[in-house]
Amino acid sequence: MVLVVGGGYVGLYTALRLQKRLSRGGAEVVVVDPQPHMTYQPFLPEAAAGSVEPRHVVVPLRRTLPRCRVVTGAVLSLSHADRRARIAPVEGAPYELSYDVLVMAAGSVARTLPIPGLAEHGIGFKSVGEAIYLRNHVLARLDAAASTDDPAVRTRALTFTFVGGGYAGIEAFAELEDMARYAVEHHYPRLSPSDMRWVLVEATGRILPEVDLDMAAWTVRQLTARGMDVRLNTRLEEVADGVVRLSDGDSFASDTLVWTAGTRPNPLLAETDLPLDERGRVRCAPTLQVSGLEDAWAAGDLAAVPDLTKDTPGATTAPNAQHAVRQAKRLADNVVAVLRGEEPRPYRHAYAGSVASLGLHEGVAQVYGVKLKGWPAWFMHRAYHVSRVPTFNRKARVVADWALASVFRREVIALGQLQDPRREFVTAAGLVPGRPGAERMQAG
Ligand SMILES: Cc1cc2nc3c(=O)[nH]c(=O)nc-3n(C[C@H](O)[C@H](O)[C@H](O)COP(=O)(O)OP(=O)(O)OC[C@H]3O[C@@H](n4cnc5c(N)ncnc54)[C@H](O)[C@@H]3O)c2cc1C
C-alpha cells in the first residue's frame, strides 16, 4: 500500500499519476488530508477578489481520485521504521495505519513570529476559507465605514494592513484593493477610494524575490501610483487594541491584518523519524527518495530537493507550485519504476520564472528571461494558471467565471453571515452566553 500524506499539489498529482500507471488490483493508494479537496493556491487572490468562484479553485479529491482511498483526516505522527502512521480522522478516535511505501507531501504552514497581538488579530492567506473570509471581511468593513459618522471607526475600518511582500502577499494585497476600489466607486457614494488606506509592510529592501529587481521596483511604483502604501525595510512590531505599530515608528488603527510573510515546512515532520535539514525540511536525494531510504519519498514545500540546475553546492529547489507539480510527476514515475525493479531517475527542472496578478488587467511577469508588465503580464498569468489548474472540469469552470465577470458587473456583496452563521438562530432561540445550554450550542 502506498500512503500519500497530503492531497495538495504534490499529493494530488502523485496520486493521479499512480492511479493511472498502477494496474487495477496492484498497489492500493491511500491519500490522507484534513481537507476533502486540493486547493489551487495561485487562484486564491482571484477567489478573494471575486473574479473566480471559490468552489472552483478547489479540486475534490474523491471525485478526481476514484481509484484511490481518500481519508479525510490528519496524519499526527509517523514511524517509517515500523511503516506505521497515526491518523486522526475528522470524527472519531485516532488510529494506526500500516503502509509499504510513503509519499510525504504535507506542504508548509505560515511562518509566524512571536509578535505581540499577531496570533490574536492576524489571518493567513493559504486556504480557500481564509480567501472567502477576507473577501467578506473587506466588503463588510466598507459597509461598516459607510454606515457610521464616527471618523475613528471609519478610518479603522478602511485601513487594511498586509505583512510580507512575496507573490502571495502582493497578489492578495493588489487583488483585494482592486476589488474594494471597484466596490467603493460603484456602490458606496458616501465613500471615496482615497478614504481607504492599504499598507504593505516588507522586512527586506524589496518585494517579489522571484523576479528581477527592476520588475519588483516597477511593481512598487505601480502600487504606489494606485495610492497604496508599500513600506520596505519595515517590520510589524505589535498589534494592541486594534492599533498596528511598525518598526519605522508609525502606528495606526486597522481592523485588518493579513500575514503572508513566508512559510515553513509542516510541523508534522517533527513527529516523524524522517531525516530533516537545518530548516526542518525532509532531506531528499535527487530521485526524490528521502535520504537513505528506498521506499519513502517527499516533494514540494516540505522537501529539501537538490537543485541539479545550479552549480552552488547544497542548492535546493524553491518552494513553489512550478516545482511541486513537476516533482510530483517524477516522484510517481519513480515509485512505479522502483515497484517494477527499475532505476529511479533524478529530478531536474530549471525555474522558468514567475507570473503575478495585481488586480483586473494588471500584472507582472518574468518567464524565461522575458519581462512583461501590465495587461500582457496579467493575460499570461491567467493563461498559465488555467493551463495548470488540475482537471478539465476546473479549467472550464474558471474560464466560465472569467467570461461571466467580463459581461456582468463584479459581485461585491459581503455575505457577512458566513462569518458567524448561527448567531441569528442562537439569538432567536434565546440562548445568550452565560445561560444554561449556551456553551453546548457554541461547541456544536
Ligand atoms: C496565496 C498563494 C499563492 C501562490 N501562488 C503561486 C504562484 O503563483 N506560483 C507558484 O509557483 N506557487 C504559488 N504558490 C505556492 C504553491 O501553492 C505551493 O508551493 C504548493 O502548493 C506546494 O505544494 P505542496 O503539495 O508541497 O503543498 P500544498 O499544496 O500546500 O499541499 C499540502 C497538503 O497537505 C495537507 N496537510 C497538511 N497537514 C497535514 C497532515 N498533518 N496530514 C495530512 N495532510 C496534511 C494540506 O491540507 C494540503 O492539502 C502560492 C501559494 C499561496 C499560499
Side-chain angles (χ1 to χ4, degrees):
M1 190 261 270
V2 181
L3 172 64
V4 181
V5 182
Y9 257 93
V10 172
L12 174 75
Y13 277 102
T14 302
L16 263 176
R17 207 157 172 98
L18 288 176
Q19 170 179 269
K20 196 165 128 201
R21 297 208 51 200
L22 291 174
S23 59
R24 275 181 199 277
E28 184 188 20
V29 179
V30 177
V31 180
V32 183
D33 196 299
Q35 304 301 330
H37 55 72
M38 176 259 193
T39 303
Y40 190 81
Q41 290 172 342
F43 273 148
L44 289 181
E46 287 210 47
S51 303
V52 179
E53 169 65 38
R55 268 174 307 150
H56 299 162
V57 308
V58 299
V59 181
L61 294 177
R62 289 176 201 281
R63 189 167 79 197
T64 315
L65 301 170
R67 288 174 51 200
C68 299
R69 174 146 65 101
V70 174
V71 175
T72 307
V75 172
L76 298 176
S77 59
L78 186 145
S79 164
H80 188 68
D82 302 326
R83 308 288 189 275
R84 287 177 83 75
R86 189 163 173 74
I87 294 173
V90 270
E91 287 282 326
Y95 59 89
E96 302 245 322
L97 187 75
S98 297
Y99 62 83
D100 304 298
V101 177
L102 172 70
V103 177
M104 184 48 88
S108 55
V109 297
R111 178 165 46 84
T112 54
L113 296 171
I115 295 171
L118 173 62
E120 293 80 6
H121 301 285
I123 181 166
F125 196 73
K126 263 184 86 64
S127 70
V128 71
E130 288 166 334
I132 294 171
Y133 172 87
L134 266 176
R135 171 178 175 71
N136 280 307
H137 172 78
V138 168
L139 291 169
R141 293 301 81 209
L142 301 186
D143 286 330
S147 310
T148 180
D149 288 326
D150 183 333
V153 172
R154 185 184 265 232
T155 306
R156 198 181 66 216
L158 293 180
T159 303
F160 305 94
T161 312
F162 286 63
V163 184
Y167 45 51
I170 291 294
E171 283 192 314
F173 182 59
E175 286 280 357
L176 280 163
E177 187 273 346
D178 190 55
M179 174 199 71
R181 189 159 28 85
Y182 176 91
V184 167
E185 282 169 352
H186 290 82
H187 305 294
Y188 293 84
R190 293 190 73 216
L191 302 179
S192 138
S194 60
D195 294 335
M196 295 194 293
R197 187 172 179 197
W198 289 79
V199 185
L200 182 124
V201 179
E202 165 56 46
T204 68
R206 61 165 299 174
I207 59 166
L208 295 176
E210 302 79 13
V211 298
D212 285 352
L213 202 50
D214 59 325
M215 299 298 277
W218 177 85
T219 307
V220 172
R221 285 198 300 278
Q222 194 66 14
L223 297 175
T224 309
R226 278 162 57 175
M228 301 161 83
D229 184 356
V230 180
R231 310 261 180 111
L232 302 179
N233 299 309
T234 309
R235 283 170 285 103
L236 173 70
E237 298 262 293
E238 184 191 42
V239 195
D241 299 327
V243 174
V244 168
R245 193 163 58 77
L246 305 181
S247 62
D248 61 4
D250 199 4
S251 64
F252 46 83
S254 174
D255 275 350
T256 310
L257 177 64
V258 186
W259 180 266
T260 55
T263 58
R264 65 187 168 97
N266 195 315
L268 157 68
L269 293 177
E271 308 302 320
T272 72
D273 56 354
L274 302 176
L276 307 184
D277 73 352
E278 64 294 341
R279 285 157 62 184
R281 300 174 300 173
V282 183
R283 284 184 198 279
C284 287
T287 53
L288 303 168
Q289 279 158 308
V290 176
S291 293
L293 300 172
E294 272 269 297
D295 48 6
W297 308 76
D301 283 9
L302 57 56
V305 178
D307 189 340
L308 301 184
T309 66
K310 293 207 176 115
D311 295 331
T312 331
T316 52
T317 57
N320 57 51
Q322 203 178 115
H323 283 300
V325 67
R326 286 175 173 81
Q327 287 174 353
K329 288 181 180 159
R330 168 77 5 246
L331 191 162
D333 287 349
N334 281 350
V335 168
V336 174
V338 169
L339 287 175
R340 292 179 181 161
E342 297 161 12
E343 278 299 304
R345 288 172 38 199
Y347 171 78
R348 174 188 284 270
H349 169 69
Y351 189 59
S354 187
V355 288
S357 125
L358 303 174
L360 212 51
H361 306 149
E362 282 295 341
V364 57
Q366 186 172 335
V367 179
Y368 292 118
V370 178
K371 298 178 181 180
L372 297 174
K373 299 167 185 166
W375 195 89
W378 171 82
F379 184 77
M380 184 179 224
H381 162 86
R382 283 201 160 181
Y384 174 75
H385 284 301
V386 83
S387 75
R388 289 287 150 187
V389 65
T391 79
F392 177 73
N393 180 305
R394 263 25 193 180
K395 291 184 206 305
R397 286 177 188 272
V398 166
V399 171
D401 287 343
W402 288 337
L404 282 173
S406 66
V407 178
F408 298 108
R409 280 189 163 196
R410 239 171 151 160
E411 283 292 352
V412 280
I413 177 74
L415 298 177
Q417 284 147 334
L418 280 181
Q419 322 291 73
D420 188 5
R422 296 187 62 249
R423 188 185 344 170
E424 204 173 315
F425 180 74
V426 169
T427 310
L431 286 176
V432 288
R435 284 208 191 144
E439 298 79 5
R440 187 171 49 80
M441 290 298 289
Q442 272 159 11

mmCIF file of all heavy atoms in Angstrom, residues 50-83:
data_model
loop_
_atom_site.group_PDB
_atom_site.id
_atom_site.type_symbol
_atom_site.label_atom_id
_atom_site.label_comp_id
_atom_site.label_asym_id
_atom_site.label_seq_id
_atom_site.Cartn_x
_atom_site.Cartn_y
_atom_site.Cartn_z
ATOM 1 N N GLY A 50 -13.099 37.884 -6.005
ATOM 2 C CA GLY A 50 -14.388 37.604 -6.626
ATOM 3 C C GLY A 50 -14.325 37.389 -8.127
ATOM 4 O O GLY A 50 -15.361 37.296 -8.778
ATOM 5 N N SER A 51 -13.112 37.286 -8.703
ATOM 6 C CA SER A 51 -13.023 37.029 -10.149
ATOM 7 C C SER A 51 -13.284 35.559 -10.450
ATOM 8 O O SER A 51 -13.631 35.196 -11.566
ATOM 9 C CB SER A 51 -11.637 37.394 -10.682
ATOM 10 O OG SER A 51 -11.346 38.725 -10.393
ATOM 11 N N VAL A 52 -13.032 34.701 -9.453
ATOM 12 C CA VAL A 52 -13.244 33.265 -9.613
ATOM 13 C C VAL A 52 -14.061 32.794 -8.418
ATOM 14 O O VAL A 52 -13.827 33.229 -7.281
ATOM 15 C CB VAL A 52 -11.886 32.504 -9.654
ATOM 16 C CG1 VAL A 52 -12.102 31.012 -9.794
ATOM 17 C CG2 VAL A 52 -11.009 33.010 -10.774
ATOM 18 N N GLU A 53 -15.022 31.920 -8.668
ATOM 19 C CA GLU A 53 -15.839 31.342 -7.599
ATOM 20 C C GLU A 53 -14.952 30.470 -6.699
ATOM 21 O O GLU A 53 -14.228 29.597 -7.210
ATOM 22 C CB GLU A 53 -16.931 30.511 -8.284
ATOM 23 C CG GLU A 53 -17.739 29.621 -7.402
ATOM 24 C CD GLU A 53 -18.571 30.396 -6.404
ATOM 25 O OE1 GLU A 53 -19.090 31.474 -6.774
ATOM 26 O OE2 GLU A 53 -18.673 29.923 -5.275
ATOM 27 N N PRO A 54 -14.950 30.695 -5.379
ATOM 28 C CA PRO A 54 -14.042 29.923 -4.504
ATOM 29 C C PRO A 54 -14.153 28.408 -4.676
ATOM 30 O O PRO A 54 -13.146 27.704 -4.621
ATOM 31 C CB PRO A 54 -14.473 30.345 -3.096
ATOM 32 C CG PRO A 54 -15.034 31.717 -3.270
ATOM 33 C CD PRO A 54 -15.681 31.727 -4.624
ATOM 34 N N ARG A 55 -15.374 27.895 -4.933
ATOM 35 C CA ARG A 55 -15.503 26.437 -5.098
ATOM 36 C C ARG A 55 -14.725 25.930 -6.307
ATOM 37 O O ARG A 55 -14.383 24.755 -6.407
ATOM 38 C CB ARG A 55 -16.973 26.058 -5.258
ATOM 39 C CG ARG A 55 -17.645 25.726 -3.944
ATOM 40 C CD ARG A 55 -19.105 25.509 -4.166
ATOM 41 N NE ARG A 55 -19.685 26.649 -4.863
ATOM 42 C CZ ARG A 55 -20.733 26.588 -5.686
ATOM 43 N NH1 ARG A 55 -21.305 25.457 -5.935
ATOM 44 N NH2 ARG A 55 -21.197 27.682 -6.271
ATOM 45 N N HIS A 56 -14.465 26.832 -7.269
ATOM 46 C CA HIS A 56 -13.786 26.395 -8.494
ATOM 47 C C HIS A 56 -12.267 26.382 -8.358
ATOM 48 O O HIS A 56 -11.574 25.944 -9.277
ATOM 49 C CB HIS A 56 -14.223 27.284 -9.667
ATOM 50 C CG HIS A 56 -15.698 27.201 -9.905
ATOM 51 N ND1 HIS A 56 -16.390 28.135 -10.636
ATOM 52 C CD2 HIS A 56 -16.611 26.288 -9.493
ATOM 53 C CE1 HIS A 56 -17.672 27.798 -10.645
ATOM 54 N NE2 HIS A 56 -17.828 26.689 -9.964
ATOM 55 N N VAL A 57 -11.727 26.886 -7.251
ATOM 56 C CA VAL A 57 -10.272 26.838 -7.077
ATOM 57 C C VAL A 57 -9.870 25.643 -6.216
ATOM 58 O O VAL A 57 -8.713 25.494 -5.857
ATOM 59 C CB VAL A 57 -9.691 28.150 -6.499
ATOM 60 C CG1 VAL A 57 -10.151 29.340 -7.300
ATOM 61 C CG2 VAL A 57 -10.040 28.347 -5.031
ATOM 62 N N VAL A 58 -10.846 24.817 -5.866
ATOM 63 C CA VAL A 58 -10.506 23.574 -5.165
ATOM 64 C C VAL A 58 -10.913 22.381 -6.024
ATOM 65 O O VAL A 58 -11.847 22.471 -6.813
ATOM 66 C CB VAL A 58 -11.175 23.485 -3.767
ATOM 67 C CG1 VAL A 58 -10.720 24.629 -2.873
ATOM 68 C CG2 VAL A 58 -12.686 23.448 -3.862
ATOM 69 N N VAL A 59 -10.164 21.298 -5.869
ATOM 70 C CA VAL A 59 -10.399 20.109 -6.691
ATOM 71 C C VAL A 59 -10.795 18.970 -5.750
ATOM 72 O O VAL A 59 -9.998 18.581 -4.885
ATOM 73 C CB VAL A 59 -9.109 19.736 -7.464
ATOM 74 C CG1 VAL A 59 -9.341 18.523 -8.348
ATOM 75 C CG2 VAL A 59 -8.625 20.913 -8.292
ATOM 76 N N PRO A 60 -12.031 18.460 -5.858
ATOM 77 C CA PRO A 60 -12.461 17.421 -4.923
ATOM 78 C C PRO A 60 -11.640 16.150 -5.069
ATOM 79 O O PRO A 60 -11.498 15.620 -6.179
ATOM 80 C CB PRO A 60 -13.932 17.166 -5.295
ATOM 81 C CG PRO A 60 -14.243 18.009 -6.472
ATOM 82 C CD PRO A 60 -13.048 18.809 -6.859
ATOM 83 N N LEU A 61 -11.086 15.666 -3.964
ATOM 84 C CA LEU A 61 -10.187 14.504 -4.042
ATOM 85 C C LEU A 61 -10.945 13.227 -4.401
ATOM 86 O O LEU A 61 -10.490 12.431 -5.220
ATOM 87 C CB LEU A 61 -9.460 14.316 -2.706
ATOM 88 C CG LEU A 61 -8.476 15.431 -2.312
ATOM 89 C CD1 LEU A 61 -7.878 15.162 -0.942
ATOM 90 C CD2 LEU A 61 -7.359 15.550 -3.351
ATOM 91 N N ARG A 62 -12.122 13.024 -3.778
ATOM 92 C CA ARG A 62 -12.828 11.751 -4.018
ATOM 93 C C ARG A 62 -13.257 11.618 -5.477
ATOM 94 O O ARG A 62 -13.180 10.546 -6.066
ATOM 95 C CB ARG A 62 -14.043 11.626 -3.105
ATOM 96 C CG ARG A 62 -13.645 11.394 -1.675
ATOM 97 C CD ARG A 62 -14.820 11.366 -0.728
ATOM 98 N NE ARG A 62 -14.355 11.638 0.622
ATOM 99 C CZ ARG A 62 -13.762 10.749 1.406
ATOM 100 N NH1 ARG A 62 -13.612 9.516 0.993
ATOM 101 N NH2 ARG A 62 -13.331 11.082 2.604
ATOM 102 N N ARG A 63 -13.697 12.737 -6.072
ATOM 103 C CA ARG A 63 -14.148 12.651 -7.462
ATOM 104 C C ARG A 63 -12.969 12.481 -8.421
ATOM 105 O O ARG A 63 -13.041 11.775 -9.418
ATOM 106 C CB ARG A 63 -14.950 13.908 -7.830
ATOM 107 C CG ARG A 63 -15.622 13.750 -9.177
ATOM 108 C CD ARG A 63 -16.645 14.815 -9.410
ATOM 109 N NE ARG A 63 -16.007 16.061 -9.806
ATOM 110 C CZ ARG A 63 -16.614 17.240 -9.755
ATOM 111 N NH1 ARG A 63 -17.829 17.344 -9.303
ATOM 112 N NH2 ARG A 63 -15.990 18.323 -10.145
ATOM 113 N N THR A 64 -11.858 13.142 -8.096
ATOM 114 C CA THR A 64 -10.711 13.124 -9.009
ATOM 115 C C THR A 64 -9.893 11.838 -8.869
ATOM 116 O O THR A 64 -9.194 11.445 -9.803
ATOM 117 C CB THR A 64 -9.816 14.352 -8.718
ATOM 118 O OG1 THR A 64 -10.665 15.486 -8.591
ATOM 119 C CG2 THR A 64 -8.831 14.611 -9.824
ATOM 120 N N LEU A 65 -9.992 11.222 -7.696
ATOM 121 C CA LEU A 65 -9.173 10.018 -7.451
ATOM 122 C C LEU A 65 -10.070 8.813 -7.162
ATOM 123 O O LEU A 65 -10.011 8.222 -6.065
ATOM 124 C CB LEU A 65 -8.240 10.275 -6.255
ATOM 125 C CG LEU A 65 -7.265 11.453 -6.396
ATOM 126 C CD1 LEU A 65 -6.573 11.753 -5.073
ATOM 127 C CD2 LEU A 65 -6.227 11.162 -7.487
ATOM 128 N N PRO A 66 -10.917 8.401 -8.115
ATOM 129 C CA PRO A 66 -11.877 7.333 -7.822
ATOM 130 C C PRO A 66 -11.212 5.986 -7.516
ATOM 131 O O PRO A 66 -11.820 5.143 -6.865
ATOM 132 C CB PRO A 66 -12.722 7.254 -9.101
ATOM 133 C CG PRO A 66 -11.864 7.829 -10.169
ATOM 134 C CD PRO A 66 -11.024 8.871 -9.504
ATOM 135 N N ARG A 67 -9.956 5.816 -7.966
ATOM 136 C CA ARG A 67 -9.312 4.519 -7.719
ATOM 137 C C ARG A 67 -8.374 4.546 -6.518
ATOM 138 O O ARG A 67 -7.638 3.597 -6.277
ATOM 139 C CB ARG A 67 -8.579 4.073 -8.984
ATOM 140 C CG ARG A 67 -9.585 3.635 -10.075
ATOM 141 C CD ARG A 67 -8.897 3.339 -11.386
ATOM 142 N NE ARG A 67 -7.782 2.435 -11.249
ATOM 143 C CZ ARG A 67 -6.802 2.319 -12.131
ATOM 144 N NH1 ARG A 67 -6.812 3.070 -13.225
ATOM 145 N NH2 ARG A 67 -5.828 1.459 -11.939
ATOM 146 N N CYS A 68 -8.389 5.677 -5.787
ATOM 147 C CA CYS A 68 -7.582 5.752 -4.566
ATOM 148 C C CYS A 68 -8.530 5.745 -3.365
ATOM 149 O O CYS A 68 -9.706 6.061 -3.487
ATOM 150 C CB CYS A 68 -6.783 7.059 -4.523
ATOM 151 S SG CYS A 68 -5.624 7.222 -5.885
ATOM 152 N N ARG A 69 -8.002 5.387 -2.193
ATOM 153 C CA ARG A 69 -8.798 5.510 -0.968
ATOM 154 C C ARG A 69 -8.456 6.863 -0.358
ATOM 155 O O ARG A 69 -7.280 7.141 -0.080
ATOM 156 C CB ARG A 69 -8.449 4.372 -0.001
ATOM 157 C CG ARG A 69 -9.130 4.532 1.360
ATOM 158 C CD ARG A 69 -9.486 3.179 1.961
ATOM 159 N NE ARG A 69 -8.308 2.384 2.284
ATOM 160 C CZ ARG A 69 -7.803 2.251 3.534
ATOM 161 N NH1 ARG A 69 -8.376 2.860 4.543
ATOM 162 N NH2 ARG A 69 -6.732 1.499 3.737
ATOM 163 N N VAL A 70 -9.490 7.710 -0.207
ATOM 164 C CA VAL A 70 -9.259 9.047 0.351
ATOM 165 C C VAL A 70 -9.709 9.039 1.809
ATOM 166 O O VAL A 70 -10.834 8.650 2.120
ATOM 167 C CB VAL A 70 -10.035 10.121 -0.455
ATOM 168 C CG1 VAL A 70 -9.909 11.492 0.208
ATOM 169 C CG2 VAL A 70 -9.529 10.178 -1.892
ATOM 170 N N VAL A 71 -8.806 9.433 2.695
ATOM 171 C CA VAL A 71 -9.136 9.526 4.119
ATOM 172 C C VAL A 71 -9.124 10.997 4.503
ATOM 173 O O VAL A 71 -8.110 11.686 4.318
ATOM 174 C CB VAL A 71 -8.098 8.763 4.978
ATOM 175 C CG1 VAL A 71 -8.381 8.965 6.468
ATOM 176 C CG2 VAL A 71 -8.084 7.283 4.626
ATOM 177 N N THR A 72 -10.262 11.496 5.001
ATOM 178 C CA THR A 72 -10.304 12.890 5.435
ATOM 179 C C THR A 72 -9.891 12.927 6.902
ATOM 180 O O THR A 72 -10.644 12.521 7.790
ATOM 181 C CB THR A 72 -11.715 13.479 5.222
ATOM 182 O OG1 THR A 72 -12.073 13.249 3.859
ATOM 183 C CG2 THR A 72 -11.742 14.968 5.512
ATOM 184 N N GLY A 73 -8.684 13.372 7.116
ATOM 185 C CA GLY A 73 -8.121 13.381 8.463
ATOM 186 C C GLY A 73 -6.678 13.847 8.387
ATOM 187 O O GLY A 73 -6.158 14.108 7.300
ATOM 188 N N ALA A 74 -6.046 13.969 9.546
ATOM 189 C CA ALA A 74 -4.659 14.443 9.579
ATOM 190 C C ALA A 74 -3.745 13.325 10.060
ATOM 191 O O ALA A 74 -4.112 12.564 10.967
ATOM 192 C CB ALA A 74 -4.545 15.630 10.528
ATOM 193 N N VAL A 75 -2.579 13.229 9.438
ATOM 194 C CA VAL A 75 -1.559 12.327 9.982
ATOM 195 C C VAL A 75 -0.941 13.048 11.179
ATOM 196 O O VAL A 75 -0.496 14.193 11.066
ATOM 197 C CB VAL A 75 -0.493 11.991 8.909
ATOM 198 C CG1 VAL A 75 0.663 11.222 9.538
ATOM 199 C CG2 VAL A 75 -1.124 11.190 7.790
ATOM 200 N N LEU A 76 -0.971 12.396 12.332
ATOM 201 C CA LEU A 76 -0.472 13.033 13.557
ATOM 202 C C LEU A 76 1.007 12.761 13.762
ATOM 203 O O LEU A 76 1.754 13.620 14.223
ATOM 204 C CB LEU A 76 -1.226 12.489 14.787
ATOM 205 C CG LEU A 76 -2.732 12.735 14.844
ATOM 206 C CD1 LEU A 76 -3.319 12.061 16.064
ATOM 207 C CD2 LEU A 76 -3.008 14.226 14.874
ATOM 208 N N SER A 77 1.431 11.538 13.423
ATOM 209 C CA SER A 77 2.829 11.147 13.597
ATOM 210 C C SER A 77 3.079 9.940 12.700
ATOM 211 O O SER A 77 2.120 9.337 12.180
ATOM 212 C CB SER A 77 3.114 10.788 15.059
ATOM 213 O OG SER A 77 2.279 9.721 15.443
ATOM 214 N N LEU A 78 4.355 9.627 12.578
ATOM 215 C CA LEU A 78 4.667 8.542 11.648
ATOM 216 C C LEU A 78 6.000 7.905 12.021
ATOM 217 O O LEU A 78 6.961 8.613 12.333
ATOM 218 C CB LEU A 78 4.725 9.191 10.274
ATOM 219 C CG LEU A 78 4.886 8.416 9.017
ATOM 220 C CD1 LEU A 78 4.088 9.098 7.930
ATOM 221 C CD2 LEU A 78 6.332 8.333 8.619
ATOM 222 N N SER A 79 6.046 6.572 12.019
ATOM 223 C CA SER A 79 7.315 5.883 12.231
ATOM 224 C C SER A 79 7.599 5.100 10.952
ATOM 225 O O SER A 79 6.966 4.067 10.698
ATOM 226 C CB SER A 79 7.219 4.940 13.431
ATOM 227 O OG SER A 79 8.303 4.038 13.390
ATOM 228 N N HIS A 80 8.531 5.613 10.168
ATOM 229 C CA HIS A 80 8.811 4.891 8.920
ATOM 230 C C HIS A 80 9.541 3.589 9.214
ATOM 231 O O HIS A 80 9.416 2.620 8.460
ATOM 232 C CB HIS A 80 9.599 5.761 7.942
ATOM 233 C CG HIS A 80 9.713 5.116 6.598
ATOM 234 N ND1 HIS A 80 8.616 4.934 5.777
ATOM 235 C CD2 HIS A 80 10.770 4.542 5.966
ATOM 236 C CE1 HIS A 80 8.998 4.290 4.686
ATOM 237 N NE2 HIS A 80 10.290 4.042 4.763
ATOM 238 N N ALA A 81 10.281 3.556 10.324
ATOM 239 C CA ALA A 81 10.977 2.309 10.698
ATOM 240 C C ALA A 81 9.957 1.183 10.854
ATOM 241 O O ALA A 81 10.222 0.031 10.479
ATOM 242 C CB ALA A 81 11.751 2.518 11.997
ATOM 243 N N ASP A 82 8.776 1.507 11.388
ATOM 244 C CA ASP A 82 7.719 0.496 11.581
ATOM 245 C C ASP A 82 6.712 0.484 10.432
ATOM 246 O O ASP A 82 5.759 -0.304 10.462
ATOM 247 C CB ASP A 82 6.942 0.775 12.886
ATOM 248 C CG ASP A 82 7.854 0.774 14.105
ATOM 249 O OD1 ASP A 82 8.816 -0.014 14.102
ATOM 250 O OD2 ASP A 82 7.612 1.593 15.013
ATOM 251 N N ARG A 83 6.853 1.440 9.495
ATOM 252 C CA ARG A 83 5.894 1.612 8.387
ATOM 253 C C ARG A 83 4.476 1.814 8.939
ATOM 254 O O ARG A 83 3.517 1.179 8.504
ATOM 255 C CB ARG A 83 5.885 0.404 7.429
ATOM 256 C CG ARG A 83 7.235 -0.014 6.891
ATOM 257 C CD ARG A 83 7.767 0.988 5.873
ATOM 258 N NE ARG A 83 8.943 0.494 5.211
ATOM 259 C CZ ARG A 83 10.185 0.607 5.695
ATOM 260 N NH1 ARG A 83 10.409 1.196 6.855
ATOM 261 N NH2 ARG A 83 11.207 0.140 4.997
#
